[in-house]
Amino acid sequence: MTTSRYYSNMGGLPPQTDLLSSKAVFTTAYAVIPRTVMSDIVTSMLPHWENARAWIISRPLSGFAETFAQYIMEVAPQGGSARPEPDPRASAAIFVVDGEMTIEMDGQQNQLRTGSFAYLPAGSEWQIWNRSDAPVRFHWVRKAFQVVDGLDMPPAIFTHEDDCVLDPMPDTDGKWATTRFIDPSDIRYDMHLNIVTFEPGAVIPFMETHIMEHGLYVLEGKAVYRLNQDWVEVEAGDYMWLRSYCPQACYAGGPGRFRYLLYKDVNRHPAL
């Protein structure tokens, strides 16, 4: 089995001797869900799934982040679902952080492993199964697809991080770069799921303030993130949830790379 390059050590329960103090916070502008609170007791079972559990780390909330839901799924050997998605409006973006699984779609068996990405269009029929001898863990982003008159539905995507170009941000000497699983020039897609990589010492050199909502799951390393008026230390396994226009920036102090999985909504007019 492929050795994981991404944080995937969810579950368990803290001992009775641990302190209650935590960096978990929920504000009107952002939320931080640290890895220490993603225990066994906050998981959910899902209808029509077998031998599987979910950490639901974001969901639409009125007045907060409204466009998406994000799960961390853990599926045991021989588990999965023939009916994974209950909403025909929902598109899916999936990223595997540990293990192997199969997505069946349009008569094709698509094999995914650690580092694999899949985009599944709204209305498509798909199944997902773990036919390996070890659990598989993956992120699953669900979004109600915004249909646009005159635009074709976007096709499915199956790829792997190793097959994608690491695209450096301008004037950063490659220290801040993005792995893009979906072509940013293809306007048919209304969301992106990227991996952002910072080398030690790299920064976001201004307070980003924009319409896109974000889910940021730290895959590797640690950094200090500026969220609205606060500096927050984050590390591998932590999750940040940002509403539209929340000011944000980052300083990656090292010693190793800082990498996170980034959701954002794109390419559509705001609803009025």
Side-chain angles (χ1 to χ4, degrees), residues 68-71 92-96 116-119 138-142 157 159 164 178-183 189-196 214-217 219 239 260-266:
F68 73 109
Q70 185 164 347
Y71 305 179
I94 286 173
F95 182 74
V96 183
S116 289
F117 169 85
Y119 175 85
F138 59 93
H139 286 255
W140 177 16
V141 174
R142 301 173 60 232
I157 298 172
T159 188
C164 298
T178 303
T179 303
R180 306 182 194 278
F181 297 112
I182 297 173
D183 181 355
Y189 296 91
D190 69 350
M191 72 164 164
H192 290 165
L193 193 66
N194 304 327
I195 295 178
V196 180
H214 281 330
L216 297 89
Y217 183 84
L219 297 169
Y239 182 68
Y260 55 79
L261 190 67
L262 174 70
Y263 162 86
K264 61 180 177 180
D265 53 313
V266 294

Side-chain angles (χ1 to χ4, degrees), residues 73-153:
M73 296 294 301
E74 181 181 77
V75 182
Q78 311 313 310
S81 178
R83 299 171 59 185
E85 175 53 67
D87 190 338
R89 303 172 304 154
S91 57
I94 286 173
F95 182 74
V96 183
V97 291
D98 188 36
E100 302 171 0
M101 65 186 193
T102 302
I103 292 180
E104 300 177 9
M105 183 178 176
D106 297 331
Q108 299 293 317
Q109 304 273 328
N110 301 280
Q111 308 300 323
L112 280 70
R113 57 187 172 89
T114 302
S116 289
F117 169 85
Y119 175 85
L120 308 171
S124 58
E125 294 185 6
W126 52 282
Q127 300 184 18
I128 189 165
W129 301 104
N130 178 5
R131 297 192 174 102
S132 74
D133 58 1
V136 62
R137 299 178 182 90
F138 59 93
H139 286 255
W140 177 16
V141 174
R142 301 173 60 232
K143 181 183 186 299
F145 182 75
Q146 294 178 263
V147 176
V148 176
D149 182 43
L151 281 184
D152 293 336
M153 290 291 289

Side-chain angles (χ1 to χ4, degrees), residues 1-270:
M1 175 186 275
T2 305
T3 301
S4 178
R5 294 173 289 176
Y6 319 100
Y7 188 87
S8 61
N9 189 27
M10 286 72 70
L13 189 68
Q16 293 284 294
T17 53
D18 272 13
L19 297 177
L20 297 180
S21 57
S22 171
K23 61 190 174 191
V25 62
F26 190 94
T27 76
T28 56
Y30 71 88
V32 177
I33 304 176
R35 69 187 191 188
T36 52
V37 306
M38 297 187 199
S39 67
D40 291 337
I41 64 173
V42 298
T43 59
S44 297
M45 309 291 281
L46 298 175
H48 307 301
W49 283 77
E50 303 170 14
N51 300 323
R53 59 179 181 168
W55 287 266
I56 302 176
I57 53 179
S58 63
R59 52 153 289 188
L61 290 174
S62 180
F64 197 65
E66 297 178 342
T67 63
F68 73 109
Q70 185 164 347
Y71 305 179
I72 304 173
M73 296 294 301
E74 181 181 77
V75 182
Q78 311 313 310
S81 178
R83 299 171 59 185
E85 175 53 67
D87 190 338
R89 303 172 304 154
S91 57
I94 286 173
F95 182 74
V96 183
V97 291
D98 188 36
E100 302 171 0
M101 65 186 193
T102 302
I103 292 180
E104 300 177 9
M105 183 178 176
D106 297 331
Q108 299 293 317
Q109 304 273 328
N110 301 280
Q111 308 300 323
L112 280 70
R113 57 187 172 89
T114 302
S116 289
F117 169 85
Y119 175 85
L120 308 171
S124 58
E125 294 185 6
W126 52 282
Q127 300 184 18
I128 189 165
W129 301 104
N130 178 5
R131 297 192 174 102
S132 74
D133 58 1
V136 62
R137 299 178 182 90
F138 59 93
H139 286 255
W140 177 16
V141 174
R142 301 173 60 232
K143 181 183 186 299
F145 182 75
Q146 294 178 263
V147 176
V148 176
D149 182 43
L151 281 184
D152 293 336
M153 290 291 289
I157 298 172
F158 293 93
T159 188
H160 191 279
E161 184 188 358
D162 293 347
D163 300 323
C164 298
V165 174
L166 188 61
D167 185 18
M169 295 293 285
D171 304 318
T172 63
D173 196 28
K175 294 181 178 179
W176 172 15
T178 303
T179 303
R180 306 182 194 278
F181 297 112
I182 297 173
D183 181 355
S185 67
D186 193 336
I187 203 168
R188 292 176 296 178
Y189 296 91
D190 69 350
M191 72 164 164
H192 290 165
L193 193 66
N194 304 327
I195 295 178
V196 180
T197 299
F198 290 91
E199 297 296 331
V203 299
I204 296 176
F206 66 104
M207 293 296 291
E208 293 188 34
T209 308
H210 52 62
I211 192 173
M212 283 86 77
E213 298 179 344
H214 281 330
L216 297 89
Y217 183 84
V218 184
L219 297 169
E220 178 183 344
K222 64 184 181 69
V224 181
Y225 231 93
R226 178 67 181 262
L227 301 171
N228 203 10
Q229 300 175 346
D230 308 314
W231 285 101
V232 179
E233 284 189 292
V234 292
E235 62 181 341
D238 292 346
Y239 182 68
M240 292 168 279
W241 189 14
L242 282 60
R243 71 179 297 177
S244 296
Y245 302 108
C246 175
Q248 59 202 262
C250 171
Y251 170 66
R257 297 186 306 175
F258 175 62
R259 310 182 75 218
Y260 55 79
L261 190 67
L262 174 70
Y263 162 86
K264 61 180 177 180
D265 53 313
V266 294
N267 299 340
R268 294 295 187 269
H269 288 288

